[in-house]
Amino acid sequence: MEKSFSESYKEAGVDITAGYKAVELMKKHVARTMPDGKTDIGGFGGLFPLGLDGIKDPVLVSGTDGVGTKLRLAQLLDRHDTIGIDCVAMCVNDVLCCGAKPLFFLDYIACGKNIPEKIAEIVGGVAEGCVRAGCALIGGETAEHPGTMPEDDYDLAGFTVGVVSREKVIDKSKMKAGDVMIALPSSGVHSNGFSLVRKVFDVERCDLTAPVAELGGKSLGEVLLAPTKIYVKPMLALFAEVAVKGVSHITGGGFYENMPRSIPAGLGVKIAKRDVKIPPIFELIRKRGKVSEHDMFNTFNMGVGMSVVVAKEDADRAIEVLKANGEDAYVLGEIAESADGVILV
């Protein structure tokens, strides 16, 4: 690469040598996600050995997502080491809803100016997310966009592929009235609703580092930037022990949009609002922004990052397995005959 340098391209705003340096800096992070600790990152394609032993009639499941305007919080705080976890989480949690185990991940970073140390910091977060998800970071792309993005600006998106035996794909048609919905708590706002969050707190002008009494003395920036929880390991343990009938990743659209996606037509879920364990950040958003209760539940996860539906007789075992794997799971509601999707009482 020592001969690869273009003065003309650099004058136009793209420093290809910075790209090479970024790749070198990120290799140590990528190696953490590989089973053998080795990486061939920097090639034209990412290689991954499938290793499908024990998986009958395998089905590949793919998912792609970004982090949205939560990125603005990372930029304002000049902290870029966790936003990659969010990107991985948004993708791998989605494929979990089909019952799939994530295999590998690729990221895409668009930036106004390639600052190798910042790019490596972002990718370090992506690698940490992959470690938590048990999947390999096999490649990605960093694109410098001078003139179309401010120098300090960047966007981050990702893509994952998982696998599941066809016979174990989550089948919501088996759901029936009387089944139980279980909540897996979120780590906070996760990565959705940040356009409203930014408006409510006027984040461009407020002090994101000052302690907030309603948040137990934590700063607003600390709480809002907390990375999205990755549910792969506890959910895979659950799939191995209990027949799961439906899974929802609670993202943009909150309860009202996401839960019905895992429930068949003619059924809904009845949830007592008093049973939802809502973290303080959501109450603060509601009060500061004068946001209606309906809009809160239709925008944010409200403390429920993922929901799972199992037969009533399997509920205790499901909660036991989830708690044994670090999730403070609890019964959230009951499946009922209804055309309303989500019934909050």
Side-chain angles (χ1 to χ4, degrees), residues 98-118:
C98 297
K101 168 185 169 56
L103 296 173
F104 59 81
F105 187 86
L106 294 95
D107 60 31
Y108 177 84
I109 304 170
C111 57
K113 181 178 177 62
N114 188 334
I115 302 170
E117 292 77 11
K118 180 189 284 188

Side-chain angles (χ1 to χ4, degrees), residues 1-76:
M1 295 292 186
E2 64 274 5
K3 292 184 178 179
S4 181
F5 175 76
S6 171
E7 187 65 42
S8 298
Y9 208 8
K10 185 176 181 180
E11 289 178 358
V14 177
D15 185 354
I16 55 178
T17 58
Y20 301 146
K21 182 179 180 182
V23 170
E24 287 302 313
L25 290 174
M26 68 179 68
K27 281 184 176 180
K28 64 180 180 181
H29 299 299
V30 176
R32 294 179 58 215
T33 75
M34 304 301 290
D36 58 5
K38 298 178 181 179
T39 175
D40 292 323
I41 192 169
F44 288 97
L47 305 179
F48 184 83
L50 278 176
L52 297 177
D53 294 344
I55 301 179
K56 181 182 177 183
D57 194 8
V59 176
L60 295 179
V61 182
S62 61
T64 185
D65 209 338
V67 183
T69 63
K70 185 175 185 176
L71 285 168
R72 187 58 187 152
L73 272 295
Q75 291 161 1
L76 288 169

Side-chain angles (χ1 to χ4, degrees), residues 139-181:
E141 172 71 7
T142 302
E144 203 167 5
H145 291 174
T148 64
M149 298 176 73
E151 286 193 354
D152 289 337
D153 198 9
Y154 65 89
D155 196 10
L156 174 64
F159 171 83
T160 193
V161 171
V163 66
V164 60
S165 296
R166 187 179 298 274
E167 63 183 11
K168 293 185 178 180
V169 173
I170 303 298
D171 182 4
K172 67 181 182 181
S173 69
K174 297 179 180 179
M175 204 176 296
K176 64 181 181 180
D179 287 341
V180 171
M181 178 175 281

Side-chain angles (χ1 to χ4, degrees), residues 241-305:
E241 295 287 336
V242 176
V244 174
K245 299 185 179 184
V247 181
S248 289
H249 182 199
I250 313 302
T251 56
F255 282 30
Y256 288 112
E257 181 179 324
N258 292 288
M259 290 176 180
R261 294 166 67 181
S262 67
I263 301 173
L267 295 177
V269 59
K270 186 176 180 181
I271 298 171
K273 286 178 283 190
R274 66 178 179 275
D275 291 338
V276 184
K277 298 179 181 179
I278 303 174
I281 183 60
F282 295 109
E283 183 62 16
L284 187 62
I285 293 170
R286 186 189 67 78
K287 287 183 176 179
R288 293 272 185 96
K290 297 181 173 60
V291 183
S292 71
E293 180 181 81
H294 177 274
D295 286 358
M296 291 296 297
F297 279 94
N298 206 169
T299 305
F300 301 107
N301 66 60
M302 300 302 285
V304 180

